[in-house]
Amino acid sequence: MIHGFLIRFGEIWLKKGHKDRFLSALVGNIRAACEPIGGLEVRTPRGRILVVSSDGKELGVRESRLRTAIGRIPGIQTFSPVTFCERDLQQVEKTVEEHARSIAAAHSEPSTFKVDTNRSDKRIEHSSSELNRRFGSAAGAVLDHWKVQLKAPEVEIGIELHRSFFCVFSRRLEGAGGLPVGASGRGIVLLSGGIDSPVAAWRAARRGLSLRGIHFYASPHTPRAAREKVLEIARTLSPWVGDLDPVMCDLGPFQRHCAEQAPRNTLVLLYRRQMCRIAQALAHGTGAQCLITGDNLGQVASQTIHNLGVIQNAVALPLLRPLLCSDKEDIVSEARELGTYRLSIEPFPDACSLFVPRNPETKARLEVIENVEKYVEWQKHLNDALEQIGYRPASMDPAS
Amino acid sequence: MILYLDNGATTRTSERVVQAMLPYFHQQFGNASSGHQLGLDSRNALEASRRVILDAVGCGRGRVVFTSGGTEANGLALNTGMKGSAGNVVSGALEHSSIRKGGDGATVKGLEWRVPSIGATGVHTVEEIMACVDDSTRMVSLMMANNEIGTVQPVEELGRTLRATYPHIWFHVDGVQAFTKVSIDMDQMGITSLSLSAHKIHGPPGVGALVVSGERAVHPYLVGGGQEDGMRPGTENVPGIVGFAEAVREVQAHGEAHLAIMKAARDQFIEALLAKVPGSRVNGHREHRLCNNAHFSFESCRSGPLLELFEERGVLASAGSACHAGKSTPSAVMEAIGVPRDVATIRFTLSRETPLVELLSAVDRIADAVELARKSDGVRSVP
């Protein structure tokens, strides 16, 4: 009896001047999420978003897939599976009874309920409270021994009497919250293949950033399977954050060069500064305004506050670190929720640890690192890397 | 052109096998337990396949329990051999993990798990193994040919000795790698149960068998509809099983001559590589090994990067066994035969489809990759 979903988008209303832009981003994302399921239509009658079966029939087996898909789209506060009915109050009453019957069947013990009518179609003569009484008694006749409770009832039957549709719902599902992907701009997320960076990507996307991924590997030192793993992580994340389409960048030549030229305790910092530079160039090439990493304060030696500062200093774009002050357990539970944890824990060596000694620098000083970089041909390797990934802006200076 | 030298991991399913399987997906698709003609046709195909397998391993009287592969077949054998809570189980030193890890279960049950030591050749002597066997031994398990270094164990001699001295002992042999490359005669060799897998012999993945001699029963893991005499319930994978039997028939049609040719080419490959790459050596006995296996240690480099460089040069091989690849711990086999941890260990495995001329011409590319890996890994020693 479910024909579609009614979607509510809470936080967007706060952004008065940008409402239309935010809304069109959200609708676009919902359309993209519906496409693989097929036979669905996204409608936007005034002030509402509806996803409905394009043939007007019940969703049937598509209901659970659609529910999962909508639950992952940032920018949605809550959503409800709805039953449409004709523009006739008697029909609405019958649909309310139907919902009441399924509520009764789903509960072994009587509980509390209320009915809430939203009469946005002002052509209807009765007031909302009259309608509530009418539909409430219809539901109460079915819900034997249930009590009406207006504040925090166990079950709420909602009735929308909109100018262009009438519908009834009895479940309110939590959406992902946040802002629609694309509403806040574009970012480049550095994906390591570990537990943290997919979670960072999700948090950035949930605040409205549209993302492109970049992964650094070190051929031949890191196995090919590690790259496949990153692609699989990106595929797993795509229902949540959109298509990350990760760029795969070989940092191996730069790392071998550094290992020959630079003190070993500085290697991680040199690598990470170079990764940020490459990501920044990719951002410039793709119109992104920021970089995102899964850095978590103090988690490993390169993530001390001193080192994080030295890494940020390599680039002008803001380097966002959504997980900076999160507890590892919280990150892990989010990664499990996203489905990336299982992939991330497959043990593969990553590019960051290549040639790095057991006790790398934890209190790096910018002037020391900059001094070391005078002897490291980072500009040449930056150009080489950009050429390898196919992003060499015309304005880029040749190696000096 | 890609030179696939990872046939120990899996082989390409042959065209003939695929053709034999196809009708069982969309024409003769009946459930082998159904009473109608479609079901009976499937049952007939299943029983015919069973006979092919029994015949191929020289088991005059016995049963074939079809499984999902070698690991499950080994598990079934262990489950049977370890029934009871007293006594001991003797296993070879280089067993596949599906046997080796059974040792943990044995200890939990109160059984003693005995493993004889092994020398650098990777070949047991019968005396080494018999020294562990006594009156309270319930089972002896031995892998006929090792999955990493390909060394072939003296199964026949051990089987005869066991039959003469302790005829009650369940003698299980893991024949997954050896099947069709080494002659197996269960009756002659005194083997009680034998594990096989189809995808190592150009059959489909996901099919294997435990062949059990005589009337002996197997203790199942699963309960259900009573298929495979109740020893492995669940609707039979008829297309896969038909493919398995067809793969066996195809090997039989090829005869044994190609094994000798493969061995000669493999030996040439080994000699050429040893001559070309300084600091390289062959692991395991040079003669008592499968005709398709060449296993090398390369000093001063690591397996992972080396495999990447091989692949860039069109050669697909593996570090140890595929079941072990991707793990950073050294393989138990390398530990057992005393290969040092700081060398790259690479397994090249051939099949009858390997183009032997290509094989020899790949030696230069392999040598080139080793040189490069040493150069780039050598960076690690820079202070």
Side-chain angles (χ1 to χ4, degrees):
Chain A
M1 71 180 184
I2 299 302
H3 299 105
F5 283 88
L6 175 67
I7 289 168
R8 306 179 192 86
F9 32 80
E11 204 175 345
I12 297 179
W13 296 119
L14 301 175
K15 319 284 171 192
K16 283 219 166 92
H18 305 285
K19 199 182 81 183
D20 287 348
R21 189 164 57 85
F22 280 31
L23 207 51
S24 78
L26 178 57
V27 170
N29 296 341
I30 294 172
R31 286 217 167 93
C34 289
E35 199 175 304
I37 301 173
L40 297 169
E41 219 172 274
V42 182
R43 292 190 201 149
T44 54
R46 208 164 46 141
R48 294 282 183 278
I49 299 179
L50 284 170
V51 181
V52 297
S53 193
S54 17
D55 56 8
K57 294 194 177 137
E58 293 184 8
L59 287 176
V61 291
R62 288 172 299 174
E63 187 188 330
S64 66
R65 278 183 76 194
L66 185 56
R67 188 173 56 229
T68 308
I70 294 174
R72 292 173 173 178
I73 302 171
I76 294 174
Q77 208 64 25
T78 62
F79 59 108
S80 295
V82 296
T83 311
F84 289 110
C85 38
E86 287 168 35
R87 301 183 59 84
D88 168 33
L89 295 182
Q90 228 163 9
Q91 287 296 322
V92 176
E93 207 174 295
K94 273 193 180 158
T95 313
V96 168
E97 285 167 3
E98 250 180 78
H99 273 258
R101 271 192 290 277
S102 66
I103 291 165
H107 289 76
S108 52
E109 299 272 317
S111 183
T112 56
F113 79 103
K114 83 165 184 182
V115 167
D116 188 19
T117 309
N118 184 354
R119 186 186 62 110
S120 57
D121 184 354
K122 300 303 177 196
R123 294 173 301 180
I124 298 167
E125 286 163 5
H126 311 275
S127 72
S128 291
S129 56
E130 279 168 18
L131 293 167
N132 275 343
R133 272 197 298 279
R134 176 174 174 177
F135 298 138
S137 64
V142 177
L143 292 167
D144 215 12
H145 293 100
W146 283 58
K147 286 205 183 86
V148 174
Q149 182 178 310
L150 297 182
K151 212 170 169 190
E154 167 85 14
V155 175
E156 183 181 336
I157 301 179
I159 297 129
E160 285 268 346
L161 306 180
H162 192 274
R163 271 184 91 87
S164 52
F165 66 92
F166 281 15
C167 74
V168 177
F169 57 87
S170 50
R171 292 174 70 197
R172 198 178 274 265
L173 306 167
E174 287 291 313
L179 299 171
V181 169
S184 306
R186 300 163 72 86
I188 302 293
V189 59
L190 284 76
L191 288 171
S192 65
I195 295 167
D196 300 334
S197 49
V199 178
W202 160 238
R203 290 202 190 168
R206 194 164 171 252
R207 291 314 298 173
L209 282 172
S210 161
L211 301 174
R212 180 80 192 265
I214 185 166
H215 172 68
F216 295 96
Y217 62 95
S219 181
H221 311 282
T222 53
R224 194 168 298 248
R227 271 165 268 168
E228 294 299 327
K229 178 178 93 163
V230 170
L231 294 174
E232 186 55 34
I233 286 175
R235 281 191 286 271
T236 305
L237 273 178
S238 68
W240 308 83
V241 308
D243 188 3
L244 290 176
D245 188 19
V247 168
M248 305 306 253
C249 180
D250 185 3
L251 203 65
F254 177 72
Q255 292 180 287
R256 284 192 291 276
H257 170 72
C258 287
E260 281 169 358
Q261 301 296 327
R264 313 206 63 192
N265 62 346
T266 63
L267 288 179
V268 180
L269 287 154
L270 299 177
Y271 299 166
R272 304 214 49 187
R273 279 166 65 89
Q274 186 76 352
M275 290 177 188
C276 288
R277 289 189 191 108
I278 296 167
Q280 175 170 263
L282 178 63
H284 288 144
T286 56
Q289 299 91 13
C290 64
L291 310 180
I292 296 124
T293 69
D295 283 322
N296 183 228
L297 189 57
Q299 193 184 110
V300 295
S302 64
Q303 293 172 339
T304 62
I305 195 67
H306 308 271
N307 290 1
L308 291 176
V310 169
I311 293 164
Q312 164 73 73
N313 191 274
V315 287
L317 283 185
L319 184 50
L320 307 187
R321 292 160 165 144
L323 310 185
L324 194 64
C325 300
S326 294
D327 275 350
K328 188 74 184 181
E329 283 109 86
D330 296 336
I331 299 171
V332 165
S333 76
E334 271 181 70
R336 283 185 200 276
E337 182 74 15
L338 294 168
T340 55
Y341 180 76
R342 183 180 62 85
L343 301 166
S344 294
I345 56 172
E346 279 182 63
F348 286 117
D350 68 47
C352 283
S353 53
L354 192 63
F355 310 134
V356 169
R358 276 174 188 277
N359 51 344
E361 184 60 79
T362 54
K363 284 190 179 176
R365 282 174 35 220
L366 183 59
E367 58 272 26
V368 173
I369 297 298
E370 281 178 338
N371 199 29
V372 171
E373 280 183 344
K374 285 181 191 156
Y375 303 94
V376 171
E377 296 170 345
W378 62 265
Q379 182 71 59
K380 173 192 172 295
H381 282 96
L382 175 61
N383 291 350
D384 289 351
L386 293 178
E387 196 137 334
Q388 182 246 320
I389 63 175
Y391 276 91
R392 188 170 186 183
S395 62
M396 193 67 99
D397 290 334
S400 48
Chain B
M1 155 120 183
I2 297 288
L3 182 60
Y4 181 74
L5 296 180
D6 200 12
N7 289 284
T10 195
T11 56
R12 196 177 73 99
T13 307
S14 87
E15 191 56 35
R16 174 172 156 176
V17 167
V18 172
Q19 288 306 325
M21 289 168 72
L22 285 178
Y24 292 90
F25 286 106
H26 50 230
Q27 288 156 358
Q28 288 152 257
F29 56 86
N31 185 319
S33 301
S34 295
H36 46 64
Q37 195 56 48
L38 210 53
L40 294 176
D41 288 347
S42 288
R43 168 143 301 266
N44 288 338
L46 191 65
E47 294 310 322
S49 303
R50 226 184 277 286
R51 287 192 295 275
V52 170
I53 306 289
L54 272 180
D55 181 53
V57 296
C59 186
R61 204 164 58 84
R63 67 171 102 232
V64 177
V65 182
F66 285 111
T67 65
S68 63
T71 292
E72 190 192 340
N74 277 338
L76 267 182
L78 270 191
N79 202 35
T80 308
M82 296 197 325
K83 208 78 186 163
S85 58
N88 64 70
V89 175
V90 177
S91 113
L94 307 182
E95 298 301 285
H96 185 260
S97 51
S98 55
I99 293 286
R100 201 172 62 242
K101 289 182 182 168
D104 304 340
T107 318
V108 171
K109 288 175 70 176
L111 288 168
E112 190 190 346
W113 188 264
R114 296 180 179 172
V115 181
S117 60
I118 195 162
T121 58
V123 179
H124 277 296
T125 63
V126 171
E127 292 72 36
E128 267 168 3
I129 297 171
M130 288 309 292
C132 295
V133 177
D134 58 27
D135 284 328
S136 56
T137 301
R138 312 182 69 87
M139 177 180 226
V140 173
S141 176
L142 189 61
M143 194 181 207
M144 187 172 249
N146 182 257
N147 56 326
E148 292 184 41
I149 55 176
T151 49
V152 178
Q153 306 297 339
V155 167
E156 179 162 7
E157 206 187 330
L158 179 64
R160 284 213 187 113
T161 312
L162 281 172
R163 190 149 54 183
T165 46
Y166 302 98
H168 69 279
I169 292 178
W170 185 293
F171 181 33
H172 174 66
V173 172
D174 174 348
V176 168
Q177 293 286 344
F179 185 40
T180 73
K181 297 177 197 79
V182 175
S183 155
I184 302 179
D185 189 326
M186 285 180 72
D187 292 344
Q188 182 90 9
M189 295 173 156
I191 297 171
T192 318
S193 63
L194 177 76
S195 300
L196 303 173
S197 175
H199 75 110
K200 308 289 190 192
I201 61 162
H202 300 281
V207 193
L210 183 71
V211 188
V212 187
S213 74
E215 298 292 316
R216 286 189 178 84
V218 167
H219 294 286
Y221 277 116
L222 309 171
V223 290
Q227 291 91 342
E228 299 296 285
D229 298 332
M231 294 172 196
R232 207 280 190 172
T235 300
E236 298 90 344
N237 172 7
V238 176
I241 290 166
V242 165
F244 188 7
E246 191 62 22
V248 173
R249 286 196 198 94
E250 194 176 3
V251 174
Q252 289 166 342
H254 271 84
E256 283 184 21
H258 79 280
L259 296 179
I261 296 169
M262 195 192 298
K263 180 176 181 300
R266 188 273 320 267
D267 286 340
Q268 248 182 301
F269 172 72
I270 288 180
E271 290 305 333
L273 205 53
L274 285 175
K276 189 96 189 167
V277 182
S280 60
R281 52 167 294 183
V282 177
N283 296 315
H285 200 283
R286 282 292 293 272
E287 281 310 311
H288 295 300
R289 72 188 305 137
L290 291 178
C291 59
N292 73 330
N293 178 297
H295 193 284
F296 283 89
S297 292
F298 299 108
E299 286 169 14
S300 313
C301 53
R302 289 173 304 148
S303 310
L306 199 47
L307 288 174
E308 291 274 316
L309 294 169
F310 287 163
E311 186 164 359
E312 277 173 20
R313 285 155 186 74
V315 176
L316 303 186
S318 76
S321 67
C323 316
H324 201 82
K327 298 180 188 168
S328 48
T329 48
S331 102
V333 173
M334 293 302 107
E335 299 245 290
I337 62 168
V339 172
R341 283 175 171 227
D342 57 352
V343 300
T345 53
I346 302 289
R347 178 185 72 174
F348 301 99
T349 37
L350 288 56
S351 83
R352 65 166 186 261
E353 292 184 345
T354 307
L356 300 177
V357 178
E358 284 281 322
L359 176 71
L360 295 174
S361 69
V363 168
D364 283 345
R365 282 177 280 158
I366 292 169
D368 173 52
V370 174
E371 201 182 321
L372 193 65
R374 282 174 178 165
K375 226 189 256 170
S376 63
D377 262 13
V379 166
R380 287 190 300 169
S381 58
V382 175

